[in-house]
Amino acid sequence: MDQWFRVMADPSFSVWERTALWGVLGTAILGLLYAVFLAAEMLRKDQGSEAMRKVSAAIRLGANAYLARQFRAILLLILVLTGLLYFTAGQQDIAIGRACAFLMGSIFSATVGFIGMNMAVQGNVRVAAASRTSFAEALTIAYRTGTITGMLTDGLGLLGGTLIFMVYGERAYEVLLGFGFGGTLLALFMRVGGGIYTKAADVGADLVGKLERNIPEDDPRNAATIADNVGDNVGDCAGMAADIFESYEVTIVSAMILGWASFGHKGVIFPLLVRAIGVVSSIIGTYLVRTSEEARAAMKAIHRGYAVSALVSIIGFCLMGFYYLRFPEAAALPTWVSFGLAGLDMRPVWTTLVGIALAVSINYLTDHFTAPEKPPVQFVARATQTGHATTIINGIAVGYESSVWAILVIAAAVFGSALIYQGTNPTYVAYGVAMCGIGMLTLTGNNISMDVFGPVADNANGIGEMAHLDPRARKTLSDLDACGNTTKAITKGIAIGSAVIAAVSLFNAYITDIAKFTGKTYSEIVPLLSISEPMVFIGFLIGGAIPFLFSSLTIRAVGRAAFLIVQEVRAQFQDKAIWEGRKTPDYARVVSICTNEAQRELIGPGLLAVLTPLLVGLLLHKEALGGFLAGIILSGQLLAVFMANAGGAWDNAKKFIEDGHYGGKGSDAHKASITGDTVGDPLKDTAGPALNPLIKVMNLVALLALPFIIQMEQRPWLAWAVGLVGLVILAIVIARSKQESPEILKWQAAIDRAS
């Protein structure tokens, strides 16, 4: 066994530490077993009537068909990158490990998305069935269905990081870069593809069904209804699960890299122990989410479970730090650090607690800007009374303001983490920021439970409408759906915040690696990355622009696909038998359009993410690449929060009006709110969330390509040759993104002839 697990044979690791690592591995497996237990429990629940099962089966079939096609589309690229990663490391064992870790990260991310989505499409019909008799039971099933995905993320993320450390020991960070890159890249593809699919279907269904035909959201006569429900799963379930999983991975990677550089092996083992405590606390907190039939307080129950998990985690961190973070050789530290005990260093604990505080702050901040009963959404809802334009104007205002508060909260967390390590080596400060990220994602199980709860409740609501459930059941499902809109917005905020914290940590790792590969010290490299240096500033400007280009590509893709969906749904409504409900629409046709368009647009944004940092490094050198990374972190965070919260506010303003305010469904205010919702859809569910993995993909590409970039500085002619080839590829990708598909040209020609 020791020949495989180097840490187990290293005499510098105590018996307690080796036992603790096996305990962490066991905790990861416990999280996976808990997911299996919840899945078995959920699958035993009643599936309702034949009509309900039929709708659910159609959703499940469409979702699985889409994901299978997406995995086939990106398989070749994953295999090519696996081979290329072999050549990014000097030693053969590290090269093999990095390539295998990349493949493992990709497979784990795909597994979380695929299994989590399948559990969601199994849970939706059971939530709908439970709504006929019990609000409390419907809430429990919906939330625990989401917890399955949450525990898969916890378990697989912790399992992968721990195994790599146990095998590679002090060299683990070099292999972990591959693990993080695999999970991040796959998450980017799932976010982009799923986001295009879900919002094309949603926008198309709403524009024709609600605005033009004045029929309910999930009316079975609407040909886009099934595709809309499929999209909720491939976008919000599979996409978000992979997104949070890669955040979970990357924060482990950055903490372990910087932990080894600052505290040695204790700096690596402690974040693993923190994550293990987080798995246990998530199991406890998620299992306690329940409400009474009288209270019907879904959001209160979810917040209570989150608070219990946070409390258990805090107690666990403090105890673990007190007994483990002893450094006999350390100098005397202030009392607030050591409690007066020689060698005790509690600073990693304090920075972890800063991360938990950040997660809770973002939780409540996002809730404030997106919950239907809060002032910002009420501000948007009131504007619907004066038309479509004012609805858009107020939603934009809310989104802009929310991005400022979000970045101030993140800045406060980074400042607090840095203040805790004030006066020490910059690497220690960077480790503090990384531990803040570890703390922030400690409650990943809870976060993903909240996120997947949203589309499960949304799908259940759709099934209830299409199966014509009784008014009491429909009210239960509508209430759960409204709660789900808020929980989805909250988890998007957590994901965006974690992307920034992880990127800041990786940026410090980038500086450390420049020092390592050039033979200089950290303090010698930092002045070279000053914004006053022209090349660094140029890189900063380019990096700041990339999130806007990336968002343009993805939003344009949604617009094109939605055009086709609108035309198809309009055409099917021309059939009188469909409009009168005597004939079933061709749902499969709309599902096929969404799938084809999403796959058509999938590779372009991925190539933009991988090629751009490489081109900046080759053509403008490593210092400009440092500025590039800083620029993308700043503009990416601001843009992502703006889009997520503006979209969430528009969505819940629509829900507020549909509950009977300002004229209710069918009123002019309702039509204005639908316009706001459809504008916000590609922002909050496609472009905004996809910026999270984009930021981290670019940081990891920079770290992985840095040795090659430094070598190419000695061969400028070769660097320019490679760079020009990359620029041509990028130009082709951008030009192709502006081309209309043959299907759109065909529809447009028909419209022109008719007019």
Side-chain angles (χ1 to χ4, degrees):
M1 183 70 72
D2 286 356
Q3 64 179 330
W4 292 105
F5 295 103
R6 298 182 186 180
V7 168
M8 301 298 105
D10 190 338
S12 65
F13 290 83
S14 68
V15 173
W16 187 91
E17 288 171 331
R18 296 177 197 176
T19 304
L21 283 173
W22 284 114
V24 171
L25 208 61
T27 304
I29 295 170
L30 174 65
L32 297 176
L33 291 176
Y34 181 54
V36 172
F37 164 75
L38 291 177
E41 184 180 62
M42 181 268 291
L43 292 172
R44 286 196 297 267
K45 302 295 183 181
D46 176 34
Q47 297 184 59
S49 66
E50 178 62 30
M52 295 162 66
R53 292 196 296 271
K54 185 177 179 181
V55 175
S56 179
I59 295 170
R60 183 165 65 251
L61 183 65
N64 280 320
Y66 170 77
L67 273 192
R69 183 165 173 183
Q70 178 171 272
F71 290 149
R72 287 197 300 271
I74 63 178
L75 179 61
L76 179 60
L77 180 61
I78 295 295
L79 293 177
V80 168
L81 288 173
T82 301
L84 289 176
L85 279 175
Y86 177 83
F87 298 101
T88 62
Q91 292 181 273
Q92 187 177 21
D93 61 334
I94 298 298
I96 294 173
R98 183 175 287 179
C100 291
F102 171 79
L103 198 58
M104 181 169 70
S106 302
I107 292 171
F108 280 8
S109 187
T111 300
V112 168
F114 186 77
I115 295 179
M117 184 204 71
N118 270 278
M119 290 298 99
V121 296
Q122 293 274 5
N124 56 21
V125 69
R126 290 164 171 83
V127 173
S131 71
R132 297 175 300 177
T133 56
S134 170
F135 180 94
E137 178 72 1
L139 168 65
T140 300
I141 295 172
Y143 191 80
R144 290 186 182 175
T145 299
T147 304
I148 297 169
T149 311
M151 298 318 298
L152 282 173
T153 303
D154 267 345
L156 290 176
L158 189 58
L159 182 70
T162 306
L163 279 175
I164 290 171
F165 177 65
M166 292 175 73
V167 171
Y168 285 93
E170 65 182 34
R171 305 294 304 279
Y173 77 93
E174 298 182 66
V175 177
L176 282 165
L177 287 174
F179 184 60
F181 185 44
T184 302
L185 188 64
L186 201 85
L188 179 65
F189 285 126
M190 294 182 76
R191 257 306 183 195
V192 170
I196 293 170
Y197 186 113
T198 182
K199 291 304 108 180
D202 196 1
V203 170
D206 282 356
L207 288 179
V208 182
K210 289 184 174 180
L211 275 182
E212 296 181 7
R213 295 284 180 158
N214 198 26
I215 59 177
E217 182 170 0
D218 292 296
D219 192 297
R221 294 172 293 175
N222 191 325
T225 297
I226 293 295
D228 186 10
N229 283 291
V230 169
D232 289 334
N233 293 288
V234 299
D236 282 323
C237 293
M240 177 57 94
D243 187 1
I244 294 286
F245 177 77
E246 55 89 11
S247 294
Y248 193 87
E249 282 183 350
V250 170
T251 49
I252 281 183
V253 170
S254 56
M256 292 174 79
I257 291 172
L258 296 165
W260 188 273
S262 51
F263 287 99
H265 64 265
K266 286 193 174 185
V268 177
I269 293 175
F270 183 68
L272 291 175
L273 292 171
V274 167
R275 281 284 159 84
I277 293 169
V279 171
V280 175
S281 66
S282 287
I283 290 174
I284 295 170
T286 54
Y287 201 76
L288 293 177
V289 173
R290 60 191 70 187
T291 188
S292 67
E293 208 58 42
E294 296 75 26
R296 297 172 66 91
M299 204 66 216
K300 183 177 179 181
I302 291 171
H303 281 314
R304 183 173 61 245
Y306 198 91
V308 169
S309 291
L311 182 61
V312 172
S313 294
I314 290 169
I315 294 171
F317 301 160
C318 292
L319 291 175
M320 186 61 67
F322 186 81
Y323 285 104
Y324 180 57
L325 295 176
R326 305 293 181 102
F327 301 91
E329 69 280 4
L333 293 167
T335 303
W336 65 271
V337 173
S338 66
F339 292 115
L341 299 174
L344 175 63
D345 190 345
M346 291 289 283
R347 286 176 296 184
V349 175
W350 305 147
T351 49
T352 303
L353 297 184
V354 169
I356 288 188
L358 175 59
V360 173
S361 299
I362 289 179
N363 188 322
Y364 283 97
L365 189 64
T366 309
D367 180 69
H368 172 75
F369 281 101
T370 60
E373 70 278 4
K374 298 297 173 62
V377 172
Q378 296 286 308
F379 172 65
V380 176
R382 282 195 301 273
T384 62
Q385 299 173 94
T386 53
H388 301 252
T390 50
T391 302
I392 301 298
I393 290 168
N394 285 17
I396 290 173
V398 167
Y400 280 149
E401 183 190 354
S402 70
S403 65
V404 174
W405 291 109
I407 209 166
L408 288 176
V409 168
I410 293 171
V414 173
F415 176 75
S417 301
L419 192 64
I420 289 170
Y421 281 98
Q422 186 179 22
T424 60
N425 187 298
T427 306
Y428 284 81
V429 176
Y431 179 62
V433 175
M435 287 306 301
C436 174
I438 289 287
M440 184 179 186
L441 288 179
T442 293
L443 305 181
T444 291
N446 301 68
N447 290 329
I448 295 187
S449 299
M450 292 166 65
D451 180 73
V452 177
F453 168 82
V456 168
D458 192 353
N459 270 201
N461 196 21
I463 291 170
E465 187 166 305
M466 296 183 75
H468 306 293
L469 294 189
D470 63 81
R472 182 174 179 274
R474 295 284 293 113
K475 173 61 177 171
T476 291
L477 294 173
S478 179
D479 289 346
L480 291 176
D481 188 13
C483 177
N485 277 337
T486 301
T487 60
K488 285 191 295 183
I490 288 170
T491 48
K492 286 183 178 72
I494 295 289
I496 294 166
S498 71
V500 176
I501 296 295
V504 170
S505 302
L506 290 172
F507 184 73
N508 280 284
Y510 178 77
I511 299 173
T512 302
D513 273 7
I514 292 179
K516 182 177 109 175
F517 292 126
T518 58
K520 297 180 180 179
T521 65
Y522 187 100
S523 57
E524 289 174 322
I525 295 299
V526 169
L528 301 178
L529 298 178
S530 169
I531 203 72
S532 63
E533 293 291 332
M535 295 307 290
V536 177
F537 188 67
I538 290 170
F540 181 75
L541 294 177
I542 296 172
I546 291 299
F548 291 88
L549 176 60
F550 180 85
S551 298
S552 172
L553 294 179
T554 52
I555 293 172
R556 187 191 299 268
V558 172
R560 278 202 298 265
F563 175 89
L564 290 174
I565 303 302
V566 167
Q567 298 301 336
E568 179 63 31
V569 175
R570 283 174 176 170
Q572 292 201 34
F573 272 138
Q574 297 304 311
D575 187 332
K576 188 176 180 181
I578 290 178
W579 177 244
E580 293 176 351
R582 294 182 286 107
K583 179 181 175 182
T584 302
D586 188 355
Y587 299 126
R589 171 65 181 153
V590 180
V591 169
S592 176
I593 292 171
C594 288
T595 301
N596 291 337
E597 289 301 305
Q599 296 306 310
R600 183 177 181 272
E601 307 289 348
L602 191 61
I603 301 300
L607 287 175
L608 177 68
V610 173
L611 287 177
T612 311
L614 188 61
L615 292 176
V616 170
L618 287 173
L619 301 179
L620 302 178
H621 297 167
K622 59 185 180 295
E623 294 82 9
L625 182 54
F628 173 89
L629 297 178
I632 195 172
I633 292 170
L634 176 61
S635 72
Q637 195 277 337
L638 288 169
L639 191 57
V641 173
F642 158 69
M643 290 194 287
N645 287 347
W650 276 318
D651 192 351
N652 274 340
K654 180 196 69 175
K655 294 285 185 187
F656 180 77
I657 290 168
E658 288 177 342
D659 285 339
H661 302 90
Y662 304 136
K665 292 182 180 180
S667 65
D668 288 342
H670 185 223
K671 293 183 185 301
S673 73
I674 293 169
T675 299
D677 181 38
T678 50
V679 169
D681 274 341
L683 303 186
K684 70 181 175 65
D685 290 324
T686 307
L691 287 174
N692 310 331
L694 175 77
I695 293 170
K696 285 170 282 190
V697 163
M698 290 187 162
N699 275 270
L700 286 166
V701 168
L703 283 170
L704 290 165
L706 184 59
F708 175 69
I709 290 169
I710 291 175
Q711 288 176 8
M712 288 298 100
E713 288 182 1
Q714 309 305 316
R715 304 175 186 175
W717 63 271
L718 183 57
W720 274 93
V722 174
L724 288 174
V725 171
L727 284 173
V728 170
I729 294 172
L730 204 56
I732 292 171
V733 166
I734 295 171
R736 186 176 178 275
S737 75
K738 297 182 180 181
Q739 294 176 353
E740 304 290 8
S741 67
E743 291 80 6
I744 290 179
L745 294 176
K746 183 177 72 174
W747 272 109
Q748 190 59 55
I751 293 169
D752 291 342
R753 285 194 302 270
S755 61

